[in-house]
Every structure is written in C-alpha cells, then in structure tokens.
Amino acid sequence: MATKQTAAEVVVVDYGLGNLRSVTRGLERAGADVTLSEDPAEFAAADGIVLPGVGAFSEGMDNAGPFREALVEEAEAGTPLFGICLGMQMLLTTSEEADHEGQGDAEGLDLVPGKNVRFRTDQTVPHMGWNELDVQRDHPLVDGVDGEYAYFVHSYYAEPADDDAVVATTDYGTDFASIVANEAGNVFGTQFHPEKSGETGLQILRNFVGICSE
C-alpha cells in the first residue's frame, strides 16, 4: 500500500492585514496544510511561514510588532518565509511610506537589506493589473514562471541593497524588483499577489510548498 505524502505545514501570519482567505485557499490548492495563526509560538513547528499583507507599511509593521522577534528567529534558523505584497515590502530594512510626510523612513524586518520607494515616473499610481515577470536568476520559487504574467496592486516597490537579492523584475516605467530573496535563499517575497494571479500564481505557491517540503 502506498504511503500518503504528508503536506507541508504552513503557517499564515494573522496580524490583522491581508487577504487571509484567498491566500489560505491558494496554498491549500498548492498542497499545503495551512494554519492561520495569531500566536508566534506556533511558528517554530511550521515547515514554512507566509506573511501576507495589504495596506500601508507603517500600519503593517505596527500590527506585526508582536511577531517581529519570532519571524526573525525563524528566518535565521532557515525556515522558509514568504512575504506577499506588503508582506514582501516588510521584509526590507526601511520604507519611504511613513505615516506622515517628513516623518522619515519606517523600519521593516531587515531580512532582505534594502528600501521601499514610491514610483517616481509619470505612470499612474498605484500600479494595478497584470504585468510580466522577467526572471533574473535561479531560485526554486520561480521555476516555470519566467515570462508569465502576475497581478499587481502597489504604489511602492523594493530597491534591495544587493542586486543579487533581485530574483525577478517587472517593467512599469522602470524595471523594479517584483520578486526578492535573501542571500541564504530561505526568505523571499513577491510584490504581486500569487493568490490572484491564476495559474502563474498557483505555480509559485506550488514551488513554495515544494521548498517547505524539502
């Protein structure tokens, strides 16, 4: 009798911001066993952690404050940590998106060194809709998605301190980092929403579940 393969145990961080239902559904379709959690103590038992997010950077970091230490500990321990949209921006060091103009940069998790900046072109902001992914380097998250299209909604984008952190770019008046990863490769994020990106997004979520299963 064949033994049923155990699905990857993935925790989705519930810090009050994010498309939790659609992210959970997408991960389940990709083969994950998903737990929504407000308890950082549950992170250590997970095969992977997802940090979703929609909204403003400062609010996101304020809400995620109680999770900061646990997220950094798990990232440093090698646990796969996947930031989505605002969650990806929160992986960086700072953001121009402070609560008030002139307040200075807001601080992120500093797991992928770099800064989030606002689009400075004549393009309409926010960047909203489908756009192409141009893979820049190998990473298991992007297997099978080079040249495919994903769904974006954002006004800020990542400028990593190290060019090697850029896994994929997208053109919106400027080539910006649409997928980033840390040097170790276990902390990564997508500026777009894979849970809203059809088959391309599902492939990325499957890739993530595969990383968690290793």
Side-chain angles (χ1 to χ4, degrees):
M1 180 180 296
T3 302
K4 183 179 179 181
Q5 185 176 1
T6 303
E9 302 282 343
V10 173
V11 166
V12 175
V13 183
D14 182 1
Y15 64 103
L17 296 173
N19 299 315
L20 300 181
R21 181 175 297 180
S22 56
V23 169
T24 297
R25 186 164 55 244
L27 287 164
E28 289 174 342
R29 286 186 63 202
D33 185 359
V34 183
T35 300
L36 281 175
S37 180
E38 300 176 355
D39 183 2
E42 295 183 342
F43 295 177
D47 297 315
I49 300 169
V50 174
L51 182 65
V54 292
F57 186 94
S58 292
E59 182 183 7
M61 287 308 306
D62 286 345
N63 284 22
F67 303 94
R68 177 190 285 268
E69 183 177 352
L71 289 170
V72 171
E73 285 180 358
E74 292 305 313
E76 291 178 346
T79 302
L81 172 58
F82 183 8
I84 294 175
C85 196
L86 174 62
M88 186 207 83
Q89 296 180 0
M90 290 163 61
L91 299 177
L92 274 77
T93 310
T94 61
S95 177
E96 292 181 345
E97 190 179 8
D99 283 336
H100 305 288
E101 186 175 357
Q103 187 179 44
D105 294 340
E107 293 187 2
L109 294 170
D110 196 24
L111 294 172
V112 179
K115 183 175 182 177
N116 294 293
V117 299
R118 186 174 174 86
F119 281 109
R120 293 183 172 86
T121 70
D122 294 332
Q123 296 286 356
T124 301
V125 176
H127 170 217
M128 180 181 299
W130 295 85
N131 209 336
E132 187 175 3
L133 304 177
D134 184 6
V135 172
Q136 300 297 310
R137 67 172 181 85
D138 290 338
H139 190 283
L141 190 70
V142 294
D143 287 350
V145 301
D146 188 23
E148 301 296 335
Y149 282 71
Y151 187 79
F152 293 82
V153 183
H154 64 116
S155 300
Y156 292 77
Y157 63 92
E159 282 190 346
D162 186 346
D163 288 343
D164 288 342
V166 179
V167 176
T169 60
T170 295
D171 181 11
Y172 189 66
T174 185
D175 286 330
F176 68 89
S178 48
I179 303 177
V180 301
N182 69 341
E183 184 176 359
N186 68 300
V187 177
F188 39 81
T190 62
Q191 181 58 73
F192 55 90
H193 289 275
E195 76 280 6
K196 297 181 179 180
S197 297
E199 287 301 315
T200 301
L202 182 58
Q203 180 63 45
I204 285 174
L205 294 176
R206 285 178 179 142
N207 292 343
F208 171 63
V209 172
I211 294 169
C212 296
S213 299
E214 292 179 353

